[in-house]
C-alpha cells in the first residue's frame, strides 16, 4: 500500500507541475492574524497558503505584518474545500467524513506524515476529492515550505495506525 501510494503520488505530481502561477485571491493581513486563522476564514489550506507565499511568509508563519497583502491561492490550483483540524481527529476520520481517500488527502496536504501523527488543532486541510493544490516551489522539501507553529497542539499524536483500505472513494 505504501509503495503504491508513492508511485501514484509521483505520477499525479508530475502531471500538475506545468501550471501557471498567478494569484487568484488575496487577503490583507490584520492585527492578530495567523496563517491558520486566515486559512480557516478563507477556505485556503495551511499548505496552500505556505506554498503560494513561499519566500515571503516564513515556514512557521512568524513574520506576517498587518497591512501586507498575501496570496490565498494560485489560479487553477486553488483548493477551496477545506477542513479545520479539531482535537482528536485522525486522517481516517477526516477521510471518512469527506469521502476522500487517504492518497488524495496526503497529496493535497503533503505536510502530513506517514502515520498522520503530526496534524494539529487549527491546521487547515484541503479535503477536495482531486488534487488541487500547487506543488512545493522548485521541488523544495515540504518542511522548508511549511511547519507547524511553535504553539501547535497535536490533534492525535499517536497517529491512526494505518489500515486505510476500507475508506470510501470520492464521489
Ligand atoms: C468556506 O466554505 C464554506 C463551506 O463550503 C462556505 O459556507 C463559506 O462561505 C466559505 N467561506 C469563504 C470565505 O469562502
Ligand atoms: C485513491 O484514489 C486514487 C484515484 O482514484 C487511487 O489511485 C488510489 O489508489 C486511491 N487510494 C486509496 C488508498 O484507496
Amino acid at each position: 500500500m505504501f509503495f503504491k501510494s508513492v508511485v501514484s503520488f509521483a505520477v499525479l505530481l508530475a502531471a500538475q507541475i506545468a501550471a501557471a502561477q498567478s494569484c487568484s485571491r488575496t487577503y490583507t493581513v490584520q492585527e492578530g492574524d495567523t496563517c491558520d486563522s486566515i486559512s480557516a476564514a478563507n477556505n485556503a489550506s495551511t499548505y496552500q497558503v505556505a506554498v503560494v507565499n513561499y519566500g515571503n511568509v516564513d515556514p512557521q508563519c512568524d513574520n506576517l505584518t498587518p497591512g501586507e497583502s498575501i496570496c490565498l491561492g494560485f489560479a487553477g490550483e486553488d483548493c477551496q474545500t477545506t477542513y479545520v483540524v479539531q482535537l482528536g481527529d485522525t486522517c481516517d476520520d477526516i477521510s471518512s467524513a469527506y469521502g476522500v481517500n487517504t492518497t488524495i488527502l496526503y497529496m493535497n496536504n503533503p505536510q502530513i506524515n506517514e502515520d498522520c501523527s503530526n496534524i494539529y488543532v487549527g491546521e487547515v486541510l484541503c479535503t477536495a476529492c482531486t488534487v488541487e493544490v500547487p506543488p512545493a516551489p522548485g521541488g523544495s522539501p515540504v518542511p522548508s515550505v511549511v511547519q507547524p507553529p511553535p504553539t501547535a497542539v497535536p490533534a492525535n499524536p499517536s497517529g491512526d495506525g494505518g489500515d486505510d483500505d476500507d475508506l470510501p472513494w470520492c464521489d
Side-chain angles (χ1 to χ4, degrees):
M1 180 53 71
F2 175 73
F3 291 109
K4 263 174 71 183
S5 299
V6 169
V7 169
S8 23
F9 180 86
V11 169
L12 290 167
L13 188 65
Q16 62 167 347
I17 275 174
Q21 301 199 316
S22 66
C23 189
S24 52
R25 305 188 273 157
T26 59
Y27 172 83
T28 302
V29 174
Q30 313 289 308
E31 194 74 49
D33 280 345
T34 64
C35 284
D36 286 335
S37 72
I38 295 169
S39 292
N42 294 281
N43 297 345
S45 71
T46 294
Y47 168 79
Q48 177 167 301
V49 167
V51 169
V52 302
N53 295 289
Y54 181 68
N56 174 27
V57 174
D58 290 346
Q60 285 190 327
C61 191
D62 54 8
N63 65 337
L64 288 181
T65 311
E68 91 174 289
S69 177
I70 66 166
C71 180
L72 298 175
F74 287 147
E77 297 176 302
D78 186 2
C79 179
Q80 299 188 31
T81 307
T82 54
Y83 173 73
V84 181
V85 174
Q86 312 290 311
L87 191 63
D89 280 346
T90 66
C91 283
D92 280 356
D93 293 339
I94 297 165
S95 294
S96 299
Y98 282 87
V100 47
N101 77 30
T102 47
T103 307
I104 304 294
L105 184 69
Y106 275 61
M107 290 174 71
N108 273 321
N109 304 281
Q111 76 277 22
I112 300 177
N113 64 9
E114 201 184 323
D115 62 1
C116 193
S117 59
N118 68 341
I119 59 172
Y120 61 87
V121 176
E123 183 174 9
V124 185
L125 301 182
C126 169
T127 51
C129 285
T130 55
V131 179
E132 297 187 352
V133 299
S140 310
V142 172
S144 73
V145 178
V146 62
Q147 282 176 25
T151 54
V153 174
N156 177 46
S158 63
D160 59 12
D163 181 13
D164 53 11
D165 287 345
D166 56 351
L167 289 174
W169 288 50
C170 288
D171 40 37

